[in-house]
Amino acid sequence: MKKTLNVIKVGGKIVEDKASLERLLNAFCKIKGDKMLVCGGGRTATKVSEALGIPTEMVGGRRVTDAETLKVVTMVYAGLVNKQVVASLQAKGVNAIGLTGADLDCIHSERRPVGKINYGYVGDISEVKASAFANLIELGIIPVICPITHNGKGMLLNTNADTIASAVASAMADLYDVTLTFCFEKNGVLSNPEDEDSVIPEIRKADFIRLRDEGIVSEGMLPKLENAFKAIDAGVNKIVITNADNLGKDSGTEII
Amino acid sequence: MKKTLNVIKVGGKIVEDKASLERLLNAFCKIKGDKMLVCGGGRTATKVSEALGIPTEMVGGRRVTDAETLKVVTMVYAGLVNKQVVASLQAKGVNAIGLTGADLDCIHSERRPVGKINYGYVGDISEVKASAFANLIELGIIPVICPITHNGKGMLLNTNADTIASAVASAMADLYDVTLTFCFEKNGVLSNPEDEDSVIPEIRKADFIRLRDEGIVSEGMLPKLENAFKAIDAGVNKIVITNADNLGKDSGTEII
C-alpha cells in the first residue's frame, strides 16, 4: 500500500494577508503524514512591479512576463514569499525547505512558444522529478514550492502555481496516494459567485463541461478545474477546492 | 579519514557581473568532490533598493537593515541571485539547491542587540546544523547558500556572507576535511591595494595583527580575515583568499 501525501496549494488573497496566511500555515502544520505546499504570490508581485514602475499585463489570468517582470517574480515568489513561509513553518516546528523548479532540477519547463500572445518568460511544465521530492520527504523534510521553474539551460521561467500543484501531485501519484487541495478565499466552486453558501459539493467531468458551457464557471476557476481533471486522469486520488480556513475540514468542492 | 569538502564564497563585483560570475561557476563545477557555494549579492541589493526608493545605509561595510531593506535583501539574495546561480549550475550538470538559513533550519541567528548602532534586522549566527548540509551532500546535492538566516521564531535576518561562509566551514569541519576559499575581484590580500602583484602569499595570526596595526589591511578585508582566523581556530584545514578567476589554481593568500 502506498503512503498518503497531501499536496496543498495556496494562493490568491491568502498569501498576501498575514493573518489568513498564518491561519493556513497553522492548519497545514496539523495535517498528519507526508505533505507539500505550493505557494503563489501574484498579488505581491504586482505590488512590487508597481513600486518599481514596471507595468503588469495579464491575459486570461496569466501574467505576461518580460525580462524585468521575470526578475520581479523570481524575487517575490522564490525570495520574499517563499522564505517567509519557510521561516514561519520552521517556527511552528515543520522542517520546511523552499524550492523553485531549478533547485534539484525538480521541475523542468519549456518556454511557451509565441502564438497570438507573447507571454514572454513563461514556462510550460515538461517534467516533474518525483524522486527529488521523495528523497526530501523520506528525510522528514516538507517541500514548499514556488511558481518558478527552469528550462535546464540556465533560464528561469514563470509558471502558474495551480499548474505546478497539479503537475507535482500527478507526478507524486506514482509513489504516493495523493490528495491535492486548492485553498483560496472562497468556500469552493460556487454556483452563484455572489453566494458563499452555493458551494457545489462534487463536480464530475460531465458536470464541468456543462458548468463551463453555461458560464457558471469562468475566469480564474476554469484553469483550476482543467488542471484538476488532468491530475485526476494522472492518478491523483482526490482533489478538493476549498476555503483556506477550511483546510483539513470536510468542506468545499470535490473533483471526481 | 574524513572526506574533503570545498566551501567557496563568492561576492563583491563577481556576482553582479554576468561574465565573471559565469567564469566562477565554470571553475566551481570543475572542483572535484563534495562542495558548497556561499553567494552574496550586496551590490544588486543596493541597486534594487535604489529603484524602490529605499535609502541604503552602510556602517563599517555592513548594511543597516530596516524592515523594507530586509524585504529587498530577501528578494535579491534568496530569490534573484540565488536562483539564477542554481539554474546556471543545473545547466552545467551540477545538482544545486538554493538555501537560506531558514530552509532545513540550517543556520540559526539572533538579532543583533542595539548598541551604538541599530543594525535593524541583522542576525549574528548562533548555530549551523552541519547534519542538514551533510544529508544533502550525501545525496549528491550541492548547497548554494545565500546570506539570509532566521531566528527560529519566524523572523528572517540579514547576515554577512563572509561570516556565513566561515561559520558553515567551521561547522562542517567536524565531519569533513574543509578548505574554505574566498573569491573576489582582487588577487588576494595585497600589501599595496593599488598593486595586484603585491599579493601576500601567507598570513599567520601574528602577521595579521601587525598588518592591521600598520593599516595595511583595512575596511572590507578586516572582517574577512577575522572570520578566516575564527574558522582556522574551529578546525578548518585551509583558507584561501583569491581572485575568482584563479579558483582551483594555486594562488592568492593562504591563511595559516
Side-chain angles (χ1 to χ4, degrees), chain A residues 165-198:
Chain A
S166 296
V168 167
S170 299
M172 298 307 280
D174 289 342
L175 306 171
Y176 296 85
D177 208 346
V178 177
T179 296
L180 169 60
T181 307
F182 291 97
C183 292
F184 69 150
E185 65 277 10
K186 296 192 170 293
N187 284 341
V189 182
L190 307 176
S191 58
N192 172 5
E194 308 298 313
D195 178 10
E196 284 291 332
D197 292 331
S198 71

mmCIF file of all heavy atoms in Angstrom, chain A residues 165-198:
data_model
loop_
_atom_site.group_PDB
_atom_site.id
_atom_site.type_symbol
_atom_site.label_atom_id
_atom_site.label_comp_id
_atom_site.label_asym_id
_atom_site.label_seq_id
_atom_site.Cartn_x
_atom_site.Cartn_y
_atom_site.Cartn_z
ATOM 1 N N ALA A 165 0.985 22.811 -8.958
ATOM 2 C CA ALA A 165 0.389 21.938 -7.943
ATOM 3 C C ALA A 165 -0.172 20.670 -8.599
ATOM 4 O O ALA A 165 0.054 19.551 -8.122
ATOM 5 C CB ALA A 165 -0.702 22.684 -7.183
ATOM 6 N N SER A 166 -0.873 20.836 -9.718
ATOM 7 C CA SER A 166 -1.458 19.682 -10.409
ATOM 8 C C SER A 166 -0.381 18.763 -10.966
ATOM 9 O O SER A 166 -0.477 17.538 -10.848
ATOM 10 C CB SER A 166 -2.348 20.147 -11.558
ATOM 11 O OG SER A 166 -3.436 20.863 -11.045
ATOM 12 N N ALA A 167 0.648 19.358 -11.571
ATOM 13 C CA ALA A 167 1.707 18.541 -12.181
ATOM 14 C C ALA A 167 2.498 17.794 -11.109
ATOM 15 O O ALA A 167 2.863 16.630 -11.290
ATOM 16 C CB ALA A 167 2.631 19.431 -13.018
ATOM 17 N N VAL A 168 2.777 18.467 -9.992
ATOM 18 C CA VAL A 168 3.523 17.827 -8.905
ATOM 19 C C VAL A 168 2.685 16.703 -8.302
ATOM 20 O O VAL A 168 3.172 15.583 -8.102
ATOM 21 C CB VAL A 168 3.933 18.864 -7.830
ATOM 22 C CG1 VAL A 168 4.414 18.174 -6.555
ATOM 23 C CG2 VAL A 168 5.016 19.788 -8.377
ATOM 24 N N ALA A 169 1.409 16.992 -8.034
ATOM 25 C CA ALA A 169 0.523 15.957 -7.474
ATOM 26 C C ALA A 169 0.457 14.753 -8.415
ATOM 27 O O ALA A 169 0.524 13.598 -7.978
ATOM 28 C CB ALA A 169 -0.873 16.536 -7.233
ATOM 29 N N SER A 170 0.354 15.020 -9.714
ATOM 30 C CA SER A 170 0.274 13.940 -10.706
ATOM 31 C C SER A 170 1.535 13.084 -10.685
ATOM 32 O O SER A 170 1.464 11.849 -10.686
ATOM 33 C CB SER A 170 0.092 14.525 -12.114
ATOM 34 O OG SER A 170 -1.106 15.269 -12.175
ATOM 35 N N ALA A 171 2.693 13.753 -10.667
ATOM 36 C CA ALA A 171 3.960 13.002 -10.672
ATOM 37 C C ALA A 171 4.116 12.193 -9.385
ATOM 38 O O ALA A 171 4.598 11.055 -9.407
ATOM 39 C CB ALA A 171 5.132 13.966 -10.842
ATOM 40 N N MET A 172 3.700 12.755 -8.266
ATOM 41 C CA MET A 172 3.850 12.076 -6.971
ATOM 42 C C MET A 172 2.886 10.898 -6.851
ATOM 43 O O MET A 172 3.086 10.017 -6.003
ATOM 44 C CB MET A 172 3.638 13.057 -5.816
ATOM 45 C CG MET A 172 4.640 14.209 -5.745
ATOM 46 S SD MET A 172 6.375 13.695 -5.746
ATOM 47 C CE MET A 172 6.593 13.225 -4.029
ATOM 48 N N ALA A 173 1.842 10.888 -7.698
ATOM 49 C CA ALA A 173 0.840 9.811 -7.628
ATOM 50 C C ALA A 173 1.431 8.449 -7.999
ATOM 51 O O ALA A 173 0.862 7.412 -7.652
ATOM 52 C CB ALA A 173 -0.352 10.141 -8.532
ATOM 53 N N ASP A 174 2.575 8.454 -8.670
ATOM 54 C CA ASP A 174 3.259 7.177 -8.943
ATOM 55 C C ASP A 174 3.783 6.549 -7.655
ATOM 56 O O ASP A 174 3.917 5.332 -7.560
ATOM 57 C CB ASP A 174 4.455 7.404 -9.889
ATOM 58 C CG ASP A 174 3.994 7.745 -11.299
ATOM 59 O OD1 ASP A 174 2.818 7.475 -11.623
ATOM 60 O OD2 ASP A 174 4.812 8.284 -12.065
ATOM 61 N N LEU A 175 4.126 7.400 -6.692
ATOM 62 C CA LEU A 175 4.797 6.931 -5.473
ATOM 63 C C LEU A 175 3.892 6.956 -4.241
ATOM 64 O O LEU A 175 4.131 6.242 -3.275
ATOM 65 C CB LEU A 175 6.035 7.806 -5.191
ATOM 66 C CG LEU A 175 7.054 7.948 -6.325
ATOM 67 C CD1 LEU A 175 8.103 8.995 -5.982
ATOM 68 C CD2 LEU A 175 7.728 6.603 -6.595
ATOM 69 N N TYR A 176 2.896 7.848 -4.260
ATOM 70 C CA TYR A 176 2.056 8.066 -3.084
ATOM 71 C C TYR A 176 0.575 8.044 -3.471
ATOM 72 O O TYR A 176 0.224 8.240 -4.632
ATOM 73 C CB TYR A 176 2.360 9.434 -2.439
ATOM 74 C CG TYR A 176 3.751 9.583 -1.882
ATOM 75 C CD1 TYR A 176 4.812 9.969 -2.706
ATOM 76 C CD2 TYR A 176 4.019 9.360 -0.536
ATOM 77 C CE1 TYR A 176 6.100 10.115 -2.208
ATOM 78 C CE2 TYR A 176 5.304 9.495 -0.026
ATOM 79 C CZ TYR A 176 6.337 9.880 -0.868
ATOM 80 O OH TYR A 176 7.600 10.019 -0.367
ATOM 81 N N ASP A 177 -0.239 7.888 -2.444
ATOM 82 C CA ASP A 177 -1.683 8.048 -2.552
ATOM 83 C C ASP A 177 -1.954 9.533 -2.302
ATOM 84 O O ASP A 177 -1.936 9.989 -1.160
ATOM 85 C CB ASP A 177 -2.295 7.185 -1.427
ATOM 86 C CG ASP A 177 -3.673 6.703 -1.777
ATOM 87 O OD1 ASP A 177 -4.248 7.232 -2.731
ATOM 88 O OD2 ASP A 177 -4.146 5.793 -1.076
ATOM 89 N N VAL A 178 -2.176 10.315 -3.388
ATOM 90 C CA VAL A 178 -2.113 11.774 -3.286
ATOM 91 C C VAL A 178 -3.491 12.428 -3.180
ATOM 92 O O VAL A 178 -4.394 12.121 -3.961
ATOM 93 C CB VAL A 178 -1.366 12.372 -4.500
ATOM 94 C CG1 VAL A 178 -1.356 13.900 -4.437
ATOM 95 C CG2 VAL A 178 0.057 11.841 -4.578
ATOM 96 N N THR A 179 -3.631 13.319 -2.214
ATOM 97 C CA THR A 179 -4.769 14.241 -2.169
ATOM 98 C C THR A 179 -4.247 15.645 -2.469
ATOM 99 O O THR A 179 -3.269 16.088 -1.860
ATOM 100 C CB THR A 179 -5.437 14.229 -0.782
ATOM 101 O OG1 THR A 179 -5.975 12.929 -0.539
ATOM 102 C CG2 THR A 179 -6.563 15.258 -0.701
ATOM 103 N N LEU A 180 -4.879 16.300 -3.426
ATOM 104 C CA LEU A 180 -4.491 17.662 -3.808
ATOM 105 C C LEU A 180 -5.585 18.624 -3.365
ATOM 106 O O LEU A 180 -6.750 18.442 -3.715
ATOM 107 C CB LEU A 180 -4.310 17.719 -5.335
ATOM 108 C CG LEU A 180 -4.163 19.092 -5.993
ATOM 109 C CD1 LEU A 180 -2.942 19.846 -5.459
ATOM 110 C CD2 LEU A 180 -4.066 18.940 -7.518
ATOM 111 N N THR A 181 -5.217 19.636 -2.588
ATOM 112 C CA THR A 181 -6.199 20.610 -2.112
ATOM 113 C C THR A 181 -5.816 22.012 -2.570
ATOM 114 O O THR A 181 -4.703 22.471 -2.298
ATOM 115 C CB THR A 181 -6.297 20.578 -0.571
ATOM 116 O OG1 THR A 181 -6.547 19.232 -0.143
ATOM 117 C CG2 THR A 181 -7.414 21.484 -0.068
ATOM 118 N N PHE A 182 -6.739 22.653 -3.281
ATOM 119 C CA PHE A 182 -6.547 24.053 -3.668
ATOM 120 C C PHE A 182 -7.227 24.929 -2.620
ATOM 121 O O PHE A 182 -8.459 24.861 -2.462
ATOM 122 C CB PHE A 182 -7.182 24.335 -5.031
ATOM 123 C CG PHE A 182 -6.489 23.684 -6.189
ATOM 124 C CD1 PHE A 182 -6.952 22.478 -6.712
ATOM 125 C CD2 PHE A 182 -5.369 24.260 -6.769
ATOM 126 C CE1 PHE A 182 -6.310 21.880 -7.792
ATOM 127 C CE2 PHE A 182 -4.729 23.668 -7.857
ATOM 128 C CZ PHE A 182 -5.201 22.468 -8.362
ATOM 129 N N CYS A 183 -6.443 25.741 -1.898
ATOM 130 C CA CYS A 183 -7.008 26.629 -0.879
ATOM 131 C C CYS A 183 -7.067 28.040 -1.416
ATOM 132 O O CYS A 183 -6.060 28.555 -1.911
ATOM 133 C CB CYS A 183 -6.116 26.642 0.356
ATOM 134 S SG CYS A 183 -6.118 25.077 1.212
ATOM 135 N N PHE A 184 -8.207 28.668 -1.285
ATOM 136 C CA PHE A 184 -8.283 30.081 -1.666
ATOM 137 C C PHE A 184 -9.297 30.791 -0.789
ATOM 138 O O PHE A 184 -9.644 30.290 0.296
ATOM 139 C CB PHE A 184 -8.485 30.245 -3.178
ATOM 140 C CG PHE A 184 -9.806 29.818 -3.744
ATOM 141 C CD1 PHE A 184 -10.329 30.442 -4.872
ATOM 142 C CD2 PHE A 184 -10.543 28.796 -3.174
ATOM 143 C CE1 PHE A 184 -11.535 30.063 -5.414
ATOM 144 C CE2 PHE A 184 -11.763 28.402 -3.709
ATOM 145 C CZ PHE A 184 -12.251 29.050 -4.829
ATOM 146 N N GLU A 185 -9.744 31.970 -1.191
ATOM 147 C CA GLU A 185 -10.534 32.798 -0.283
ATOM 148 C C GLU A 185 -12.036 32.516 -0.372
ATOM 149 O O GLU A 185 -12.819 33.079 0.387
ATOM 150 C CB GLU A 185 -10.230 34.285 -0.501
ATOM 151 C CG GLU A 185 -10.625 34.852 -1.864
ATOM 152 C CD GLU A 185 -9.591 34.591 -2.953
ATOM 153 O OE1 GLU A 185 -8.642 33.812 -2.715
ATOM 154 O OE2 GLU A 185 -9.748 35.154 -4.048
ATOM 155 N N LYS A 186 -12.434 31.618 -1.301
ATOM 156 C CA LYS A 186 -13.856 31.278 -1.436
ATOM 157 C C LYS A 186 -14.104 29.885 -0.859
ATOM 158 O O LYS A 186 -13.180 29.125 -0.635
ATOM 159 C CB LYS A 186 -14.277 31.349 -2.907
ATOM 160 C CG LYS A 186 -14.153 32.762 -3.471
ATOM 161 C CD LYS A 186 -14.808 32.916 -4.803
ATOM 162 C CE LYS A 186 -14.878 34.381 -5.215
ATOM 163 N NZ LYS A 186 -15.769 35.193 -4.358
ATOM 164 N N ASN A 187 -15.371 29.576 -0.641
ATOM 165 C CA ASN A 187 -15.701 28.316 0.048
ATOM 166 C C ASN A 187 -15.605 27.077 -0.842
ATOM 167 O O ASN A 187 -15.734 25.954 -0.352
ATOM 168 C CB ASN A 187 -17.103 28.400 0.659
ATOM 169 C CG ASN A 187 -17.094 29.244 1.924
ATOM 170 O OD1 ASN A 187 -16.034 29.450 2.521
ATOM 171 N ND2 ASN A 187 -18.256 29.744 2.322
ATOM 172 N N GLY A 188 -15.415 27.296 -2.144
ATOM 173 C CA GLY A 188 -15.328 26.175 -3.082
ATOM 174 C C GLY A 188 -15.743 26.692 -4.447
ATOM 175 O O GLY A 188 -15.713 27.896 -4.700
ATOM 176 N N VAL A 189 -16.112 25.783 -5.343
ATOM 177 C CA VAL A 189 -16.678 26.213 -6.624
ATOM 178 C C VAL A 189 -18.132 26.577 -6.354
ATOM 179 O O VAL A 189 -18.899 25.763 -5.839
ATOM 180 C CB VAL A 189 -16.572 25.096 -7.683
ATOM 181 C CG1 VAL A 189 -17.116 25.589 -9.026
ATOM 182 C CG2 VAL A 189 -15.118 24.638 -7.845
ATOM 183 N N LEU A 190 -18.493 27.826 -6.652
ATOM 184 C CA LEU A 190 -19.828 28.337 -6.322
ATOM 185 C C LEU A 190 -20.724 28.314 -7.563
ATOM 186 O O LEU A 190 -20.280 28.660 -8.659
ATOM 187 C CB LEU A 190 -19.721 29.774 -5.793
ATOM 188 C CG LEU A 190 -18.749 29.998 -4.622
ATOM 189 C CD1 LEU A 190 -18.684 31.492 -4.270
ATOM 190 C CD2 LEU A 190 -19.154 29.183 -3.412
ATOM 191 N N SER A 191 -22.001 27.933 -7.356
ATOM 192 C CA SER A 191 -22.934 28.002 -8.494
ATOM 193 C C SER A 191 -23.377 29.453 -8.697
ATOM 194 O O SER A 191 -23.743 29.850 -9.799
ATOM 195 C CB SER A 191 -24.130 27.076 -8.276
ATOM 196 O OG SER A 191 -24.795 27.421 -7.079
ATOM 197 N N ASN A 192 -23.303 30.239 -7.627
ATOM 198 C CA ASN A 192 -23.549 31.676 -7.717
ATOM 199 C C ASN A 192 -22.378 32.402 -7.060
ATOM 200 O O ASN A 192 -22.226 32.362 -5.836
ATOM 201 C CB ASN A 192 -24.868 32.007 -6.997
ATOM 202 C CG ASN A 192 -25.089 33.513 -6.896
ATOM 203 O OD1 ASN A 192 -24.329 34.318 -7.435
ATOM 204 N ND2 ASN A 192 -26.144 33.893 -6.171
ATOM 205 N N PRO A 193 -21.554 33.061 -7.868
ATOM 206 C CA PRO A 193 -20.320 33.665 -7.339
ATOM 207 C C PRO A 193 -20.573 34.655 -6.196
ATOM 208 O O PRO A 193 -19.673 34.936 -5.416
ATOM 209 C CB PRO A 193 -19.728 34.389 -8.549
ATOM 210 C CG PRO A 193 -20.447 33.893 -9.741
ATOM 211 C CD PRO A 193 -21.742 33.313 -9.306
ATOM 212 N N GLU A 194 -21.805 35.159 -6.108
ATOM 213 C CA GLU A 194 -22.126 36.148 -5.069
ATOM 214 C C GLU A 194 -22.524 35.474 -3.755
ATOM 215 O O GLU A 194 -22.683 36.144 -2.739
ATOM 216 C CB GLU A 194 -23.296 37.039 -5.529
ATOM 217 C CG GLU A 194 -23.109 37.684 -6.892
ATOM 218 C CD GLU A 194 -21.910 38.623 -6.913
ATOM 219 O OE1 GLU A 194 -21.795 39.426 -5.974
ATOM 220 O OE2 GLU A 194 -21.081 38.519 -7.841
ATOM 221 N N ASP A 195 -22.732 34.155 -3.806
ATOM 222 C CA ASP A 195 -23.276 33.465 -2.630
ATOM 223 C C ASP A 195 -22.323 32.360 -2.156
ATOM 224 O O ASP A 195 -22.206 31.313 -2.778
ATOM 225 C CB ASP A 195 -24.650 32.865 -2.998
ATOM 226 C CG ASP A 195 -25.253 32.082 -1.836
ATOM 227 O OD1 ASP A 195 -24.704 32.165 -0.703
ATOM 228 O OD2 ASP A 195 -26.269 31.391 -2.066
ATOM 229 N N GLU A 196 -21.653 32.657 -1.026
ATOM 230 C CA GLU A 196 -20.653 31.716 -0.492
ATOM 231 C C GLU A 196 -21.285 30.407 -0.013
ATOM 232 O O GLU A 196 -20.576 29.447 0.271
ATOM 233 C CB GLU A 196 -19.860 32.373 0.645
ATOM 234 C CG GLU A 196 -18.817 33.386 0.190
ATOM 235 C CD GLU A 196 -17.623 32.751 -0.551
ATOM 236 O OE1 GLU A 196 -17.303 31.584 -0.280
ATOM 237 O OE2 GLU A 196 -17.061 33.433 -1.431
ATOM 238 N N ASP A 197 -22.631 30.409 0.117
ATOM 239 C CA ASP A 197 -23.294 29.166 0.531
ATOM 240 C C ASP A 197 -23.683 28.281 -0.655
ATOM 241 O O ASP A 197 -24.238 27.205 -0.464
ATOM 242 C CB ASP A 197 -24.565 29.489 1.351
ATOM 243 C CG ASP A 197 -24.202 30.116 2.694
ATOM 244 O OD1 ASP A 197 -23.101 29.794 3.207
ATOM 245 O OD2 ASP A 197 -24.998 30.925 3.206
ATOM 246 N N SER A 198 -23.376 28.748 -1.869
ATOM 247 C CA SER A 198 -23.798 27.986 -3.057
ATOM 248 C C SER A 198 -22.709 27.028 -3.543
ATOM 249 O O SER A 198 -22.576 26.775 -4.749
ATOM 250 C CB SER A 198 -24.176 28.969 -4.180
ATOM 251 O OG SER A 198 -23.011 29.610 -4.686
#
